[in-house]
Amino acid sequence: MPADPARQPRNGFPNRPSLDELLATAHVVSLPMRVKFRGIMERETLLLRGPHGWGEFCPFPEYADAEASRWLAATIEAGWHGFPAPVRSVIPVNATVPAVSADRVPEVLARFGRVDAVKIKVAEHGQTLDDDAARVAAVRAALPDAAIRVDANGGWDVPFAVSALTRLAAVGLEYAEQPVPTIEGLAEVRRQLRAAGTPVLIAADESVRKESDPLKVARAGAADLLVVKVAPLGGVRRALDIVAQAGLPAVVSSALDTSVGIRAGLALAAALPELPYACGLGTVSLFASDITLDPLVADDGAIRLRDVAADAGLLEQYAASAERRDWWLARLARVHALLAPCRSLT
């Protein structure tokens, strides 16, 4: 059961630097992807450097400014406040397989090296359940002993989700992430799977990070575990607060970040009291290039906690066009204005 369900997570933002201070260190880059992910082949992001290191501001373009303000709070935490003390230094990570055809699965997995867990995207627009089943089966054939989890990003309705997960469970699923879009739907899918004896746990992602009340899913008994991402939740400390109040196991995941954003995800995974699942922090392997010469990629199924620094040459090489840079800086200014007033950092 959730701990102290009446208590809400803190909504305040950390003390913030001025807009001029942020703009003075801003770099906007566009990085090529190896495979299409979330429908894109290039990932744009804005990088900022503060006294504690680099932070990354990369809410997807369709996100409104109010939602993007949590991403900026997380960026400021990373660069201007630093992270909580870790309780572990090695973070197990899963491989991530986008909605590629089954014949491309070995190629994608090869980029991750040895892994013990794989997250597979399903419910892609324009694809069928047969496509999903073939992709999942290809992963199982390649990694007979790996833990497999699927992520539908809310792409199914309740009847289809129950049918699909019943079919996919035949290969052995660790859990299904956000099979349907609503909290009520998650609870119903979970209830029906349990009633049928189908051994698939339900994980909530969008129902945590995109809800005004991220604890609602836990109070509703709609999930067995939470997927938590630093940037959409407003920073490492706020994510830790949410997990503690929810009283559910947590999986730390990324939002298609560069190594700078992955560093923040590792800080969260390193600070959680318990870490029962491999984390979705291996997504730098999906990029054709990163912004650091020493990317945070998995080695033998894990990433060791360490700091990263953006490389000046890579920032220049992958600098976004002047038009896109102006778009991101204007967005930064709008979002910065939404953050709560604060005391000076000095």
Side-chain angles (χ1 to χ4, degrees):
M1 293 295 292
D4 192 8
R7 185 170 164 242
Q8 296 296 308
R10 292 184 295 272
N11 291 319
F13 294 102
N15 295 345
R16 60 180 170 91
S18 69
L19 177 60
D20 285 343
E21 187 175 352
L22 297 182
L23 292 173
T25 70
H27 296 269
V28 181
V29 297
S30 180
L31 298 173
M33 306 292 299
R34 296 182 187 275
V35 292
K36 185 177 289 187
F37 196 88
R38 287 187 97 259
I40 62 174
M41 285 299 295
E42 289 196 355
R43 178 65 161 129
E44 292 182 344
T45 183
L46 192 159
L47 298 160
L48 301 166
R49 187 174 187 178
H52 284 268
W54 289 87
E56 179 167 32
F57 178 63
C58 59
F60 294 101
E62 67 269 20
Y63 287 9
D65 290 349
E67 184 172 0
S69 67
R70 294 193 293 271
W71 297 61
L72 183 55
T75 307
I76 291 171
E77 179 190 53
W80 278 261
H81 297 270
F83 300 122
V87 298
R88 63 184 61 82
S89 61
V90 178
I91 311 301
V93 298
N94 63 250
T96 299
V97 175
V100 297
S101 58
D103 63 297
R104 295 195 65 191
V105 164
E107 166 199 342
V108 173
L109 290 176
R111 301 190 190 110
F112 291 92
R114 191 197 70 78
V115 291
D116 296 320
V118 182
K119 180 166 83 169
I120 306 167
K121 291 290 185 177
V122 294
E124 181 83 353
H125 181 70
Q127 294 188 6
T128 68
L129 181 56
D130 286 342
D131 296 321
D132 295 335
R135 188 179 313 115
V136 170
V139 171
R140 175 55 74 211
L143 298 171
D145 299 320
I148 291 180
R149 63 278 296 257
V150 295
D151 181 8
N153 289 117
W156 294 327
D157 60 22
V158 169
F160 195 91
V162 172
S163 175
L165 293 177
T166 299
R167 177 177 174 182
L168 297 178
V171 304
L173 295 183
E174 185 177 37
Y175 62 78
E177 183 176 328
Q178 201 72 41
V180 296
T182 68
I183 291 174
E184 295 76 12
L186 288 179
E188 181 60 19
V189 170
R190 184 170 180 256
R191 185 193 69 77
Q192 291 192 33
L193 290 175
R194 284 190 166 193
T198 305
V200 179
L201 300 178
I202 298 300
D205 175 12
E206 286 87 346
S207 290
V208 177
R209 63 181 169 86
K210 296 182 78 69
E211 286 283 332
S212 58
D213 175 7
L215 296 175
K216 185 178 178 182
V217 69
R219 288 198 299 271
D224 299 286
L225 58 142
L226 306 181
V227 176
V228 288
K229 299 177 180 179
V230 170
L233 292 178
V236 172
R237 290 170 178 82
R238 186 166 186 264
L240 287 170
D241 188 30
I242 290 167
V243 172
Q245 293 184 57
L248 292 173
V251 179
V252 180
S253 190
S254 74
L256 200 56
D257 309 318
T258 72
S259 285
V260 169
I262 294 298
R263 173 63 180 90
L266 292 173
L268 173 56
L272 282 168
E274 298 180 1
L275 195 68
Y277 297 96
C279 297
L281 297 172
T283 49
V284 170
S285 294
L286 300 175
F287 286 83
S289 183
D290 195 11
I291 46 70
T292 177
L293 296 174
D294 191 13
L296 285 172
V297 294
D299 179 21
D300 202 24
I303 302 177
R304 184 168 293 276
L305 187 68
R306 59 179 172 82
D307 291 330
V308 296
D311 175 75
L314 291 172
L315 292 175
E316 181 178 358
Q317 180 179 352
Y318 292 104
S321 67
E323 179 183 5
R324 295 306 299 164
R325 174 179 165 83
D326 289 347
W327 186 91
W328 276 98
L329 295 184
R331 188 187 202 191
L332 176 65
R334 296 194 312 270
V335 172
H336 181 270
L338 297 178
L339 299 186
C342 63
R343 299 183 301 276
S344 169
L345 288 172
T346 56

